[in-house]
Amino acid sequence: DVKVTQSSRYLVKRTGEKVFLECVQDMDHENMFWYRQDPGLGLRLIYFSYDVKMKEKGDIPEGYSVSREKKERFSLILESASTNQTSMYLCASRKQGPPTIYFGEGSWLTVV
Amino acid sequence: QQQVKQSPQSLIVQKGGIPIINCAYENTAFDYFPWYQQFPGKGPALLIAIRPDVSEKKEGRFTISFNKSAKQFSLHIMDSQPGDSATYFCAASQGGADGLTFGKGTHLIIQP
């Protein structure tokens, strides 16, 4: 069965802290994504990666960076967390070719 | 620029009714149109998807209607049940490694 795992479901961080959100997929998918979900705004793409060590900016990359050192793992990094980054973060993956994207269960981040 | 516009934002329907959620897109290069269903505390899950070479697709009680000339597509839920209460997102993509572009979501409530 398809599995995208976000290890941290709920986090509370202080303004200015560096935050790491980790995502692992077990489907040998080439493409991985980080979305942010906010009420009334839907899902917005932050970054995506189509291969190890490759990354592309999405629609809202400001304030975020990513790391993909291994095919199965894609990390989202908030270099200096701010209160406007309080949100739910969704990781997703897809095999190169078929368009179906599979999501993890989300990481709720609160920055205080 | 919002590339996929979804309406309504919220919808309440009696059990057995047929909720209809509509989406419109602008980018004629989009070639894949999925609908995702999201329950509280969970990540979105693929419900049904369509390509622009067909005008309708049915899977169980869920139907997508697609109008290429109008650049619109909609989701119909037949014989709706309280268990269908969720947030529904339409999306679109144009292939490649890019992620999906999502609508802002519809919060659907099916009343018993």
Side-chain angles (χ1 to χ4, degrees):
Chain A
D1 200 14
V2 168
K3 193 71 173 178
V4 179
T5 302
Q6 296 180 234
S7 53
S8 299
R9 292 298 313 277
Y10 302 96
L11 306 92
V12 179
K13 299 292 182 180
R14 295 192 180 278
T15 300
E17 276 192 80
K18 190 169 186 176
V19 181
F20 293 86
L21 299 180
E22 306 287 345
C23 175
V24 176
Q25 51 94 3
D26 65 357
M27 300 162 285
D28 199 36
H29 285 175
E30 291 83 7
N31 301 334
M32 295 189 73
F33 309 86
W34 276 105
Y35 285 88
R36 169 175 172 163
Q37 182 175 6
D38 299 288
L41 297 179
L43 283 72
R44 295 178 291 168
L45 182 63
I46 304 172
Y47 267 96
F48 66 97
S49 169
Y50 54 88
D51 202 351
V52 176
K53 297 190 184 295
M54 307 302 289
K55 61 184 179 182
E56 295 286 343
K57 293 180 180 179
D59 299 319
I60 53 165
E62 296 78 18
Y64 303 94
S65 62
V66 290
S67 173
R68 192 163 180 205
E69 296 297 318
K70 294 184 177 181
K71 188 176 185 180
E72 67 271 18
R73 189 178 299 271
F74 193 36
S75 302
L76 180 68
I77 303 159
L78 288 66
E79 294 289 343
S80 178
S82 63
T83 55
N84 63 11
Q85 293 178 310
T86 292
S87 186
M88 178 163 134
Y89 292 88
L90 287 161
C91 176
S93 73
R94 182 184 71 189
K95 189 160 187 61
Q96 189 67 29
T100 303
I101 288 179
Y102 300 91
F103 283 89
E105 297 209 321
S107 296
W108 289 94
L109 172 66
T110 301
V111 182
V112 298
Chain B
Q1 179 186 1
Q2 184 185 353
Q3 294 193 55
V4 179
K5 293 184 178 181
Q6 183 173 346
S7 62
Q9 189 173 354
S10 62
L11 183 59
I12 300 174
V13 173
Q14 294 294 316
K15 176 184 175 182
I18 305 176
I20 301 172
I21 305 171
N22 299 298
C23 284
Y25 63 96
E26 299 165 1
N27 186 351
T28 56
F30 286 147
D31 62 0
Y32 173 70
F33 301 89
W35 285 89
Y36 279 78
Q37 180 187 54
Q38 185 180 31
F39 294 107
K42 300 291 187 181
L46 178 67
L47 186 63
I48 185 173
I50 197 168
R51 295 278 194 182
D53 53 347
V54 297
S55 60
E56 185 176 278
K57 183 173 182 180
K58 291 183 180 180
E59 286 188 5
R61 296 184 293 107
F62 300 92
T63 300
I64 299 179
S65 297
F66 188 85
N67 185 329
K68 188 175 181 178
S69 60
K71 293 187 286 185
Q72 295 175 347
F73 58 110
S74 60
L75 176 71
H76 302 230
I77 305 175
M78 305 302 176
D79 188 27
S80 58
Q81 302 296 315
D84 297 327
S85 297
T87 300
Y88 292 82
F89 293 95
C90 63
S93 75
Q94 58 183 81
D98 295 11
L100 295 165
T101 298
F102 284 86
K104 293 187 176 182
T106 297
H107 184 214
L108 173 65
I109 296 174
I110 307 298
Q111 291 184 332

